[in-house]
Amino acid sequence: MTEPKSRARRGVEKSEILQAAFDLFAEVGEASFSIRKVAAIVGVDPMTVLHHFGSKDELLRAIADHGLRSVEMPAATPNWRDDLRAVAKAYRMLAHHHPRVFPLHFRYNATGPADHISSEIVYCALRRAGLTDTAAAGLGLAFYAFVLGFALAEAEGLLRAIGPSEEAELSALDPTKYHATQDLIPVLKTLDPGLAFEDSMDVFISGIADLARSRPRQKPVVTCEAKCA
Amino acid sequence: MTEPKSRARRGVEKSEILQAAFDLFAEVGEASFSIRKVAAIVGVDPMTVLHHFGSKDELLRAIADHGLRSVEMPAATPNWRDDLRAVAKAYRMLAHHHPRVFPLHFRYNATGPADHISSEIVYCALRRAGLTDTAAAGLGLAFYAFVLGFALAEAEGLLRAIGPSEEAELSALDPTKYHATQDLIPVLKTLDPGLAFEDSMDVFISGIADLARSRPRQKPVVTCEAKCA
DNA sequence: GTGTAAAGTCTACACCGTAGAAGTCAAGGG
DNA sequence: CCCTTGACTTCTACGGTGTAGACTTTACAC
């Protein structure tokens, strides 16, 4: 009761608008998204929406941030492999939950708290794996590229088991040139993206372990290990 | 002189329009791209553009295909690792050359000839590495997700060495919670995306070799090996 | 010629983001 | 109390967009 509607329900409207905008975007996608529709849903003038967010671009950025804020990062565990897998899974689940919003995270490199938290987990895991700082920084980026790329491809509907039409298309190719592709048609038809993702994460982790063995860091990361272990 | 302008310069206009559309998109990006601007550049009515491509969406798809068609895939070599690296490099170069067009390849999963050719190279390489067909199919997707994800992130300007403002932001974080991140600031400042990409490819390839050792395919891929080697 | 079919154009419409002016209304000082 | 203030909301209007539908032009087949 302290400030029920002080200064014309300040702040309340803004989050309400953002929620409506997010829901609309998540449902219809970017092509059918417009400020005017958001305004109609909230029951407000289009210019009110613009007044709170400045521009459509800013609104989209806010939507991206809102989506990223909803993902909760797992706590660090003693096992750096599990930590990497957990972060990867969290982002993939985010993409599955709001596939139409997910591309926005790429466009506006959303740097919310979740971003920093996950970065910390990833960097910490890579150092505990035994990587040098330089390698950890580079592989950290690669990790994100892989996870976000995979999740984005899934969200865009690119990574699915192939259907009859794609099978026909591949079968029609010149067998002398596309032998391997055509040999894989049976497994491509029953491919499970989730399984492929987990297998690929294992491959990535395995490669990281190899790198750490061949080029280990000079001294263990005491503070990091102490904190995370 | 056989058909200088037979049937009202059929075909000539269309490719001319596509080229202009591609150039415009590559220069100004999606936000400032419009059918009417393309028409103005070619010196033609906006409806002419639409008449040839059906809709803006189809035009964008054509732009994506046009970009993909420009990348020339390397020939297969005896070394499957080199083949994977070469395909990865080709896509990354594509993203570097036309960063604004690149996101379109994700939105419309462009399936041009280059797509099939590169798939064949990748699948063939993965089988020669010793992977089972199931693993080859899954890891093939992972390979594309990683390469395209990395290239996309670079094209969107996400993967750069951090600047003073980002450094300040990271430094301002709670040191007890973001120790690893802050330790890596020095290397993040001088990070080279190209080097990180190559290192990451090596990690990925190393992981694939591990997987092939632990779960090898039953019999060698005679036809594929014979063709590619 | 006439027919035909594709290529190109014109007009018009609904929708979009948003600049700028105007209106509304709670809070605070006199 | 009135009056100013300033955030919030709304109204109006403008230039730009994609594109449907009708029209005109063009170039070949007959």
Side-chain angles (χ1 to χ4, degrees):
Chain A
M1 194 69 92
T2 57
E3 339 180 50
K5 48 193 318 196
S6 80
R7 216 61 161 173
R9 36 187 205 283
R10 177 179 40 182
V12 183
E13 280 285 11
K14 177 155 183 176
S15 65
E16 188 184 348
I17 292 174
L18 177 55
Q19 186 64 52
F22 182 90
D23 292 344
L24 178 63
F25 198 107
E27 186 185 348
V28 306
E30 178 158 25
S32 307
F33 176 88
S34 80
I35 287 182
R36 294 171 119 104
K37 286 178 186 169
V38 173
I41 290 173
V42 184
V44 99
D45 190 272
M47 290 310 291
T48 299
V49 177
L50 221 55
H51 174 260
H52 279 292
F53 293 90
S55 71
K56 184 181 187 180
D57 206 61
E58 299 279 344
L59 176 57
L60 294 185
R61 191 183 301 277
I63 290 175
D65 281 351
H66 182 74
L68 200 56
R69 213 172 302 124
S70 73
V71 55
E72 51 187 285
M73 281 301 151
T77 72
N79 187 332
W80 63 268
R81 296 165 209 256
D82 286 344
D83 284 359
L84 289 184
R85 274 188 271 255
V87 172
K89 184 177 179 182
Y91 278 110
R92 199 169 90 98
M93 286 303 105
L94 175 65
H96 276 224
H97 222 233
H98 304 298
R100 327 201 79 137
V101 178
F102 196 75
L104 293 184
H105 299 308
F106 258 95
R107 176 151 5 136
Y108 314 102
N109 53 338
T111 58
D115 197 19
H116 290 143
I117 293 175
S118 73
S119 295
E120 174 68 17
I121 297 176
V122 170
Y123 288 144
C124 189
L126 292 175
R127 296 175 102 199
R128 281 187 290 150
L131 260 50
T132 63
D133 281 358
T134 306
L139 267 295
L141 295 191
F143 172 82
Y144 279 108
F146 166 64
V147 171
L148 297 182
F150 200 101
L152 178 62
E154 274 192 287
E156 300 276 17
L158 273 59
L159 296 191
R160 290 188 318 249
I162 65 173
S165 68
E166 288 110 326
E167 179 182 357
E169 186 187 349
L170 293 182
S171 299
L173 296 174
D174 181 356
T176 67
K177 289 184 179 173
Y178 298 95
H179 196 105
T181 302
Q182 293 177 335
D183 275 2
L184 291 187
I185 288 179
V187 296
L188 287 175
K189 275 161 57 176
T190 61
L191 185 133
D192 177 357
L195 235 56
F197 183 75
E198 290 178 16
D199 286 352
S200 307
M201 272 305 298
D202 289 344
V203 163
F204 195 76
I205 287 172
S206 167
I208 289 173
D210 288 346
L211 178 60
R213 257 192 302 275
S214 69
R215 271 193 286 156
R217 60 183 301 124
Q218 304 82 336
K219 45 186 67 176
V221 281
V222 286
T223 56
C224 188
E225 274 184 333
K227 195 174 68 61
C228 298
Chain B
M1 192 69 92
T2 57
E3 346 178 46
K5 48 194 317 201
S6 79
R7 212 63 159 177
R9 26 183 216 281
R10 175 180 42 182
V12 182
E13 280 284 13
K14 177 155 183 176
S15 67
E16 189 183 347
I17 292 174
L18 178 55
Q19 186 63 52
F22 183 90
D23 292 344
L24 179 63
F25 198 107
E27 186 185 350
V28 305
E30 177 156 23
S32 307
F33 175 87
S34 79
I35 287 183
R36 294 170 119 103
K37 286 179 185 168
V38 173
I41 291 173
V42 184
V44 99
D45 190 274
M47 290 311 290
T48 299
V49 177
L50 222 54
H51 175 259
H52 279 293
F53 292 91
S55 71
K56 184 180 187 181
D57 205 61
E58 300 280 341
L59 176 58
L60 294 185
R61 180 175 255 99
I63 290 175
D65 281 351
H66 183 73
L68 199 56
R69 213 171 301 123
S70 73
V71 56
E72 51 188 285
M73 281 300 150
T77 72
N79 187 331
W80 63 267
R81 295 163 210 256
D82 286 344
D83 284 0
L84 289 185
R85 275 188 270 256
V87 172
K89 184 177 180 182
Y91 278 110
R92 200 169 90 97
M93 285 304 105
L94 175 65
H96 276 222
H97 221 233
H98 305 297
R100 328 201 78 135
V101 178
F102 196 75
L104 293 184
H105 299 307
F106 257 97
R107 176 150 9 133
Y108 313 102
N109 52 339
T111 58
D115 196 19
H116 290 143
I117 293 176
S118 73
S119 295
E120 174 69 16
I121 297 175
V122 170
Y123 287 143
C124 189
L126 292 175
R127 296 175 101 200
R128 280 188 290 151
L131 260 48
T132 65
D133 282 358
T134 306
L139 267 296
L141 295 190
F143 172 82
Y144 279 108
F146 166 63
V147 171
L148 297 182
F150 200 102
L152 178 62
E154 272 191 288
E156 300 277 18
L158 271 60
L159 295 193
R160 290 188 318 250
I162 64 173
S165 67
E166 288 110 326
E167 179 182 357
E169 187 187 348
L170 293 182
S171 299
L173 296 175
D174 181 355
T176 66
K177 289 183 180 175
Y178 299 94
H179 197 105
T181 302
Q182 292 178 336
D183 275 1
L184 291 186
I185 287 179
V187 295
L188 287 175
K189 274 161 58 177
T190 61
L191 185 131
D192 177 357
L195 236 56
F197 184 74
E198 289 178 16
D199 286 351
S200 307
M201 273 304 298
D202 289 344
V203 163
F204 195 76
I205 287 173
S206 167
I208 289 174
D210 288 345
L211 178 59
R213 259 192 301 275
S214 69
R215 270 192 287 156
R217 61 183 300 124
Q218 305 82 338
K219 43 187 68 177
V221 280
V222 284
T223 56
C224 189
E225 275 184 332
K227 196 174 66 61
C228 298

